[in-house]
């Protein structure tokens, strides 16, 4: 519909404001004195939990939402844990509905809000993060940034097809403002900090 | 300091004691007070009712009446806000800008270092301050609860806190609107009255005996709701409280 | 919380018709069955208990917003930043949208342009029809509400399921959302329980929010898995990268786009920002202003379709009155709105009159600014449904001077003939009087004198709108001016030799 396109651009040109807005830019704050403490608090406020590991490369210390040996369907992007059950069949996103646990590796965690920046490795991984009952996101210690300014300074949005900030379990407060975890997606969320 | 006193139309007609108290306070802090009798209305009711040209005509008249004075003072945050922001908008006349800049709310002036301090006053009552929206958010006399700007002084609160025996009690919502809003109080009478009732209830829960404001319009609204619901509080303008506390209310009893 | 597409659609809830019959969604409907905001608000406050609850719920959200703002040391600078970003964008929309189109297309998205609601709906319907789609999941988008997309698609045999829990609730009740972020904020849990029992077969009497949400989750999970397309709104479009950003708490926009092959994103012209880094201040403000969260659970950045065979991303860019608003210097700043809903939550009138009292897709202060631009005749009373307390302008994360715009609208609408003539005549008389002090003071004196003599019931009736809910103040015998004159005369006599 190029007619509509041309008409819209003509209308926008005609309405173009002569005022030039002076840009103000808020500073990108530095990390707070105790970033892990603040991150822990903000993840908790978002309905999640933070756990800082002491050893790199291993997930042995992680307090899983359920004993690992009771879980049949796991998707894991972390080399220390193998996928199993439908977690292996990532070509059919619908099959992932049975997932019990999804483990992601993310680049960055935002201390101010408790959000992580994650770029799924595949459409299957993206679906897994939504369909699993429990979500665990592993972020390296070096991935802490103070605020979203730090995220957008580091990422290249023009090089990816999809990326997201995740913060806590899926939630809603649409019934009388009562907070309910697990609206559509994961019911629990753990952020795991892994030493570099 | 030579000041001109502007007593807003509704104060003049419905609450003259506020004008008298204001006059007494100004004289007590060493002001030479003139009261230009040709004054009427700042134009606010017309501005809020969607008649900016009629408001502007009254604004121009206000400039004519008051431009000769170094300072203009009014016991109303709302009217001063209208004048300060409205006069420059309504007229390109530089005199309008100058008059706007010289027009001040009473408590602003009473806190001014160019005036003498008030005599020590005593007011042994539990007082709740009703923040007038326009004094607060338009004149920035105090810090609105929404804002994260650096705190600003609230001259009315400072003056009241200085009174011996006065106990300030704080409503849970510190600066919600009373629901007056000029023409709003009439056109949206049901919501307006409910706002007033909620504000009153909040003050009542805080234990206020006397509810004090910089604006008579808010007080008329709150008092009107209180009387209809049989609430016992008293509703006083800050000038009335200060004048009574400082023993300056000689004239104030002679009305009605 | 999802896209807050700008909206000016008139949704009329007529009196006596709150839930069980479908209200007429169109402006024409609003004009036909029109009652005033004041009368709808009167009906709302007549239920004192519900008003108390509604006010307290929303005040609670405002309090959370305050606490969230207090956690950010440079809050006011962030507002300045976000405000200037949006104004900068509004000042150069044509080049930003050209760049967006180029970059998004390069990433594999298809960009469509719609002048108005009908074109928007037709584009969406055509995309669905061409792909034989009959089941669509939609995440919250005020823009598609504004355009009336659901009934348009349903009339063409396409099932549209709103997936945001609040939206789903109001969809099943056949009523519009009453809030742009919390669509079902006007409903009690008992009402939701009864609805779910009827529509989803849950146990009658169920009213625990956890249990009710679980019921909806089960029902909607099946619909996500069966959907052939997902429709979302857009919170921000980024010119620099051709990306669109969608935020939700529930993850419904994500499920709706991660599973089906077709994603249609509908975006209003005002949603664009120049650069990726501009997202930082806006996103830091959005959720904090909206719900008091530091950030929403999901903040998804889409650039192109999923890398799976057959996947498509279509972006439908909609004008629908926005360029007209942009051409009005007094009101164009309203286009900076990011639909956080903070002005609704803080508005003392909205909290006590309910979203439906506005009869527009977007209610509250921002809705009252937007609606008259679209249909001044139908919404002329909205800018007057405001006490001008100014709280909305203080909470606005992008510093739209909302209460000033509401005041400005009153003058414009009066000039355009949308205020009753008798009301204007009364004001003309009063202002003429105020320009003639002598006449004014004589008349005022007479009026006071009469008021003091009249029996209270008669006086009350004369002062009717005020006295319906409030007592009149005691009327003084003498005005301040009269007392000053008396004093002057006394002094003159004393000084007379």
């Amino acid at each position: 519909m190029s007619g509509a396109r041309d008409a819209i651009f003509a209308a926008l040109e005609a309405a173009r404001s002569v005022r030039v807005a002076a840009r103000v830019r808020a500073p990108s704050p530095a990390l707070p004195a105790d970033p892990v403490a603040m991150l822990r608090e903000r993840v908790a406020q978002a309905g999640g939990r933070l756990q800082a590991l002491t050893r790199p490369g291993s997930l042995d210390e992680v307090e899983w939402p359920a004993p690992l040996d009771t879980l049949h369907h796991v998707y894991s992007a972390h080399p220390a844990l193998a996928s199993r059950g439908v977690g292996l069949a990532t070509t059919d996103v619908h099959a992932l509905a049975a997932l019990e646990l999804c483990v992601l590796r993310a680049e960055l965690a935002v201390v101010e809000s408790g959000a992580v920046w994650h770029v799924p490795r595949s459409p299957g991984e993206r679906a897994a993060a939504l369909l699993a009952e429990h979500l665990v996101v592993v972020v390296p210690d070096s991935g802490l940034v103070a605020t979203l300014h730090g995220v957008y300074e580091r990422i290249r949005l023009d090089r990816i097809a999809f990326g997201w900030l995740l913060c806590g379990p899926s939630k809603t407060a649409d019934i009388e403002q009562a907070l309910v975890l697990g609206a559509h997606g994961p019911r629990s969320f753990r952020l795991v900090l892994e030493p570099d | 300091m030579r000041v001109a006193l502007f007593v807003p139309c509704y104060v003049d007609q419905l609450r003259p004691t506020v004008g008298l108290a204001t006059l007494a306070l100004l004289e007590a802090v060493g002001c030479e007070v003139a009261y230009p009798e040709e004054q009427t209305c700042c134009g606010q009711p017309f501005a809020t009712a969607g008649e900016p040209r009629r408001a502007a005509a009254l604004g121009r008249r206000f400039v004519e009446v008051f431009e000769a004075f170094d300072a203009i003072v009014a016991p109303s945050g709302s009217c001063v806000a209208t004048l300060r922001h409205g006069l420059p908008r309504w007229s390109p006349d530089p005199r309008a800008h100058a008059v706007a800049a010289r027009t001040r709310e009473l408590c602003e002036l009473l806190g001014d270092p160019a005036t003498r301090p008030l005599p020590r006053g005593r007011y042994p009552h539990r007082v709740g301050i009703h923040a007038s929206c326009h004094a607060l958010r338009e004149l920035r006399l105090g810090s609105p609860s929404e804002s994260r700007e650096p705190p600003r002084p609230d001259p009315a609160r400072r003056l009241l806190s200085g009174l011996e025996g006065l106990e300030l009690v704080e409503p849970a919502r510190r600066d919600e609107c009373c629901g007056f809003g000029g023409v709003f109080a009439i056109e949206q009478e049901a919501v307006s009255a409910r706002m007033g009732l909620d504000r009153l209830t909040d003050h009542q829960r805080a234990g206020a005996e006397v509810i004090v404001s910089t604006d008579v319009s808010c007080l008329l609204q709150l008092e009107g709701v209180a009387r209809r619901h049989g609430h016992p509080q008293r509703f006083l303008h800050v000038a009335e409280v200060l004048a009574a506390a400082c023993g300056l209310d000689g004239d104030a009893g002679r009305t009605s | 919380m999802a896209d807050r597409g700008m909206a000016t659609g008139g949704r009329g809830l007529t009196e006596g018709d709150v839930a069980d019959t479908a209200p007429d969604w169109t402006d024409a409907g609003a004009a036909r069955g029109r009652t005033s905001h004041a009368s709808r608000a009167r009906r709302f406050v007549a239920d004192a208990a519900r008003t108390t609850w509604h006010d307290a719920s929303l005040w609670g959200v405002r309090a959370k917003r305050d606490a969230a703002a207090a956690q950010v040391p440079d809050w006011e600078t962030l507002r300045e930043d976000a405000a200037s970003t949006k104004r900068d964008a509004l000042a150069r929309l044509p080049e930003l949208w050209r760049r967006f189109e180029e970059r998004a297309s390069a990433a594999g998205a298809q960009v469509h342009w719609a002048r108005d609601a009908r074109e928007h709906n037709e584009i969406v319907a055509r995309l669905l029809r061409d792909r034989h789609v009959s089941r669509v999941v939609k995440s919250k988008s005020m823009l598609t509400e504004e355009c009336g997309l659901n009934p348009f698609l349903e009339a063409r045999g396409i099932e549209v399921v709103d997936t945001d829990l609040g939206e789903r609730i109001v969809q099943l009740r056949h009523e519009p959302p009453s809030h742009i972020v919390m669509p079902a904020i006007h409903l009690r849990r008992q009402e939701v329980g009864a609805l779910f029992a009827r529509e989803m077969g849950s146990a009658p009497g169920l009213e625990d929010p956890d249990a009710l949400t679980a019921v909806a989750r089960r029902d909607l999970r099946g619909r996500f898995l069966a959907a052939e397309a997902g429709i979302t709104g857009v919170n921000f479009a980024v010119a620099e990268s051709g990306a669109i950003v969608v935020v939700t708490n529930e993850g419904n926009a994500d499920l709706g786009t991660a599973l089906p092959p077709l994603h249609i994103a509908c975006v209003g012209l005002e949603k664009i920002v120049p650069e990726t880094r501009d997202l930082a201040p806006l996103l830091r403000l959005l959720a904090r202003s909206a719900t008091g969260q530091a950030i929403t659970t999901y903040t998804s950045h889409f650039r192109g379709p999923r890398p799976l065979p057959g996947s498509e991303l279509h972006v439908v860019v909609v004008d629908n009155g926005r360029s007209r608003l942009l051409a009005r210097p007094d009101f164009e700043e309203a286009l900076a709105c990011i639909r956080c809903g903070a002005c609704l939550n803080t508005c003392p009138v909205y909290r006590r009159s309910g979203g439906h009292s506005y009869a527009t897709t977007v209610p509250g202060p921002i809705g009252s600014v937007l609606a008259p631009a679209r249909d001044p005749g139908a919404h002329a009373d909205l800018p007057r449904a405001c006490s001008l307390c100014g709280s909305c302008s203080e909470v606005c994360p992008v510093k739209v001077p909302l209460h000033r715009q509401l005041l400005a609208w009153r003058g414009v609408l009066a000039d355009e003939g949308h205020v009753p003539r008798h009301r204007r005549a009364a004001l003309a008389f009063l202002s003429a009087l105020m320009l003639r002090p002598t006449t004014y003071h004589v008349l005022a004196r007479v009026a006071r004198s009469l008021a003091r003599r009249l029996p209270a019931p008669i006086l009350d009736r004369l002062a009717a709108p005020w006295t319906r809910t409030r007592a009149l103040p005691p009327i003084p015998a003498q005005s301040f001016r009269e007392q000053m004159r008396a004093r002057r005369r006394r002094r003159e006599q004393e000084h007379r030799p």
Side-chain angles (χ1 to χ4, degrees):
Chain A
M1 249 187 238
S2 73
R5 184 186 182 282
D6 294 347
I8 288 170
F9 276 98
L12 290 180
E13 289 290 355
R16 188 191 274 275
S17 168
V18 287
R19 278 180 275 177
V20 179
R23 284 300 310 271
V24 175
R25 294 219 186 254
S28 172
L31 280 174
D34 187 349
V36 176
M38 184 185 279
L39 184 61
R40 187 185 304 281
E41 177 204 312
R42 301 295 155 89
V43 170
Q45 279 174 4
R49 281 180 56 187
L50 177 116
Q51 196 187 348
L53 304 183
T54 58
R55 293 192 306 276
S58 161
L59 297 179
D60 292 350
E61 298 169 78
V62 174
E63 294 158 21
W64 300 101
L68 272 186
D69 52 10
T70 65
L71 302 178
H72 304 291
H73 302 290
V74 174
Y75 171 87
S76 170
H78 198 286
L81 180 72
S83 298
R84 63 178 87 140
V86 297
L88 291 165
T90 53
T91 45
D92 177 10
V93 293
H94 293 80
L96 296 166
L99 270 185
E100 293 152 306
L101 173 67
C102 173
V103 181
L104 301 176
R105 295 180 89 187
E107 290 170 60
L108 304 169
V110 184
V111 168
E112 179 195 55
S113 60
V116 298
W117 170 255
H118 174 245
V119 178
R121 299 189 300 191
S122 67
E125 183 170 301
R126 181 175 143 201
L130 292 161
L131 291 167
E133 286 284 296
H134 304 285
L135 183 61
V136 174
V137 184
V138 184
V139 177
D141 280 348
S142 59
L144 297 192
V145 294
T147 66
L148 283 179
H149 298 281
V151 172
Y152 291 111
E153 282 158 14
R154 283 167 180 74
I155 67 167
R156 285 295 300 269
L157 199 51
D158 54 352
R159 292 196 181 156
I160 56 170
F162 180 87
W164 53 4
L165 293 155
L166 297 170
C167 185
S170 158
K171 58 181 87 68
T172 184
D174 273 345
I175 301 173
E176 282 195 12
Q177 282 294 292
L179 180 67
V180 179
L181 303 183
H184 294 297
R187 298 174 195 275
S188 83
F189 177 95
R190 274 175 174 69
L191 173 55
V192 174
L193 289 180
E194 184 181 20
D196 289 273
Chain B
M1 190 188 250
R2 199 168 119 69
V3 303
L5 174 60
F6 170 54
V7 175
C9 47
Y10 59 99
V11 178
D12 176 46
Q13 295 296 329
L14 297 174
R15 200 71 176 256
T17 45
V18 172
L20 296 172
T22 302
L23 179 62
L25 290 167
L26 290 173
E27 286 173 346
V29 298
C31 292
E32 188 191 322
V33 185
Y35 174 70
E37 284 191 8
E38 8 13 323
Q39 63 180 272
T40 55
C41 167
C42 65
Q44 174 169 222
F46 304 95
T48 55
E51 303 287 348
R53 278 184 302 279
R54 300 200 183 282
L58 286 163
R60 281 192 296 276
R61 185 164 187 285
F62 187 92
V63 173
E64 298 297 333
V65 172
F66 284 97
E67 70 164 325
F69 299 94
D70 305 334
I72 300 122
V73 63
S76 162
S78 194
C79 297
V80 171
T82 296
L83 292 164
R84 201 174 290 167
H85 301 306
L87 290 182
R89 268 208 308 273
W90 292 333
S91 166
D93 183 352
R95 294 179 309 158
H97 289 248
V99 169
R102 295 203 298 268
T103 304
R104 304 171 79 185
E105 188 271 331
L106 172 65
C107 297
E108 255 185 309
L109 188 89
L110 292 179
D112 190 307
T115 58
R116 283 206 303 266
L118 278 172
R120 280 200 67 78
R122 182 175 155 72
Y123 200 74
H125 297 284
R126 278 203 306 279
V127 167
I129 297 179
H130 171 72
S132 138
C133 294
H134 292 166
L136 184 65
R137 298 194 186 87
E138 300 286 352
L139 295 179
R140 311 308 279 191
L141 299 177
S143 304
S145 59
E146 304 90 358
S147 174
R148 304 296 307 160
E149 288 170 358
R152 292 166 188 270
D154 174 349
R157 176 173 288 266
R158 195 184 56 78
L159 290 165
L160 290 169
S161 313
L163 297 179
E164 192 187 319
L166 184 144
E167 183 194 343
L168 277 182
V169 295
E170 307 291 345
R173 300 184 187 180
R174 98 175 126 91
D175 52 16
E176 192 167 34
C177 179
C178 69
F180 180 71
V183 70
F184 174 83
I186 305 298
E187 292 181 358
Q188 289 276 344
E189 155 274 327
V191 172
S192 165
R194 175 66 204 231
M195 286 164 69
L197 183 61
D198 288 350
R199 201 81 287 266
L200 191 64
T201 308
D202 198 351
H203 275 292
Q204 193 167 29
R205 286 203 188 114
E209 298 164 357
V210 185
I211 292 164
V212 179
S213 179
T214 55
D215 279 77
V216 169
S217 46
C218 308
L219 293 169
L220 290 176
Q221 159 84 352
L222 291 171
E223 186 168 26
V225 172
R227 296 297 165 264
R228 186 52 60 87
H229 286 84
H231 289 301
Q233 292 88 355
R234 298 170 65 208
F235 298 84
L236 294 175
H237 189 271
V238 62
E240 294 174 307
V241 170
L242 290 173
C246 301
L248 304 168
D249 55 345
D251 271 359
R254 265 200 273 124
T255 51
S256 64
Chain C
M1 188 163 81
D3 158 62
R4 284 148 261 286
M6 167 185 136
T8 49
R11 298 199 134 182
L13 270 190
T14 50
E15 294 211 8
D17 160 31
V18 175
D20 291 330
T21 53
D24 190 332
W25 281 174
T26 62
D27 279 336
R32 267 198 313 275
R34 245 194 111 59
T35 55
S36 64
H37 177 275
S39 66
R40 292 184 295 265
R42 177 185 310 284
R43 280 167 44 81
F44 192 90
V45 292
D47 186 341
R50 186 183 280 267
T51 305
T52 301
W53 167 77
H54 191 262
D55 168 66
S57 296
L58 287 151
W59 183 263
V61 183
R62 155 75 205 273
K64 285 185 207 160
R65 173 260 173 216
D66 290 353
Q71 281 188 341
V72 179
D74 48 359
W75 182 259
E76 295 299 337
T77 319
L78 273 187
R79 287 176 76 219
E80 294 281 344
D81 182 332
S84 76
T85 298
K86 292 292 286 189
R87 279 158 187 74
D88 174 39
L90 291 176
R92 48 195 182 104
L93 287 179
E95 70 216 53
L96 294 180
W97 277 114
R98 277 194 197 96
R99 193 172 314 150
F100 175 87
E101 184 181 36
E102 176 200 317
R103 306 281 156 91
S105 305
Q110 295 180 54
V111 182
H112 308 262
W113 302 89
R115 272 171 290 199
D116 53 30
R118 180 153 196 103
E119 282 188 359
H120 161 266
N121 294 346
E122 280 168 355
I123 290 167
V124 175
R126 181 170 47 77
L127 289 169
L128 297 172
R129 202 175 46 232
D130 289 353
R131 287 154 189 80
H132 309 290
V133 169
S134 60
R135 281 171 309 201
V136 178
V137 284
K138 185 157 99 28
S139 71
K140 187 142 65 61
S141 149
M142 294 315 292
L143 174 61
T144 61
E145 290 285 340
E146 164 193 335
C147 292
L149 180 65
N150 284 17
F152 189 90
L153 295 180
E154 281 156 6
R156 282 152 187 79
I158 298 167
E159 180 201 68
V160 191
V161 174
D162 279 312
T163 54
D164 172 87
L165 176 59
E167 281 271 297
R168 185 64 180 150
I169 291 168
V170 296
Q171 183 184 34
L172 290 172
R173 285 173 58 94
H174 308 291
E175 64 180 343
S178 69
H179 189 289
I180 59 177
V181 174
M182 300 167 284
I185 189 76
H186 59 295
L187 296 173
R188 306 301 302 253
R189 59 184 70 192
Q190 294 81 1
E191 293 167 298
V192 177
L195 178 75
F196 283 10
R198 194 168 74 227
E199 298 287 339
M200 298 180 193
S202 60
L206 194 66
E207 55 185 60
D208 170 54
D210 265 302
L212 289 170
T213 303
V215 169
R217 175 185 166 111
R218 262 197 309 281
D219 182 81
L220 287 166
R221 182 57 79 93
R223 296 176 191 274
F224 279 121
L225 292 168
E228 298 150 318
I231 297 175
T232 69
V234 171
N235 292 91
F236 305 101
V238 187
E240 180 186 41
S241 52
I244 54 170
V245 179
V246 181
V247 309
T248 75
N249 271 322
E250 299 181 6
N252 54 318
D254 293 281
L255 274 166
T257 54
L259 303 180
L262 175 62
H263 174 190
I264 303 173
C266 305
V267 56
L269 276 176
E270 79 283 19
K271 296 283 181 184
I272 199 155
V273 297
E275 299 174 56
T276 303
R277 62 172 175 161
D278 295 329
L279 294 171
L282 288 162
L283 286 168
R284 289 180 74 195
L285 289 164
L286 176 57
R288 289 186 169 97
S289 299
T291 60
Q293 294 169 269
I295 189 167
T296 45
T297 306
Y298 298 92
T299 306
S300 301
H301 305 59
F302 299 87
R303 220 182 117 267
R306 302 182 306 174
L308 280 179
S311 286
E312 297 175 62
L313 170 62
H314 295 264
V315 180
V316 187
V317 188
V318 186
D319 183 341
N320 206 32
R322 287 158 179 78
S323 60
R324 269 207 314 276
L325 192 57
L326 191 67
R328 304 188 75 139
D330 281 356
F331 304 109
E332 62 169 342
E333 281 182 293
L335 289 169
C337 172
I338 57 173
R339 299 294 186 274
C340 69
C343 64
L344 281 60
N345 304 338
T346 202
C347 177
V349 179
Y350 174 89
R351 277 187 267 112
R352 293 174 183 82
S353 63
H356 289 155
S357 68
Y358 292 81
T360 54
T361 306
V362 177
I366 182 64
S368 300
V369 170
L370 296 174
R374 163 107 167 248
D375 185 347
H379 306 298
D381 58 336
L382 294 186
R384 303 170 80 96
C386 156
S387 66
L388 297 170
C389 76
S391 185
C392 48
S393 306
E394 299 287 335
V395 297
C396 178
V398 289
K399 302 188 88 161
V400 177
L402 288 157
H403 73 294
R404 300 246 158 90
Q405 294 194 339
L406 290 168
L407 182 61
W409 262 128
R410 297 181 190 186
V412 171
L413 291 164
D415 282 347
E416 290 178 1
H418 299 297
V419 171
R421 213 170 287 162
H422 68 272
R423 210 176 279 170
R424 298 201 76 187
L427 289 164
F429 171 75
L430 275 178
S431 76
L433 206 52
M434 290 299 189
L435 290 168
R436 291 166 185 77
T438 315
T439 321
Y440 159 61
H441 285 292
V442 169
L443 279 183
R445 187 186 181 115
V446 171
R448 264 187 291 111
S449 161
L450 265 175
R452 286 167 63 82
R453 283 174 181 77
L454 282 174
I458 293 175
L459 186 58
D460 264 14
R461 195 175 305 166
L462 286 173
W466 177 272
T467 48
R468 208 176 290 158
T469 38
R470 289 153 292 210
L472 282 173
I475 308 292
Q478 280 192 306
S479 70
F480 175 74
R481 184 173 181 266
E482 286 158 13
Q483 295 184 58
M484 287 299 278
R485 294 192 127 186
R487 185 153 102 162
R488 199 185 62 212
R489 265 184 244 114
R490 273 200 308 278
R491 285 199 181 147
E492 281 165 6
Q493 273 165 8
E494 282 163 15
H495 289 98
R496 209 166 281 163

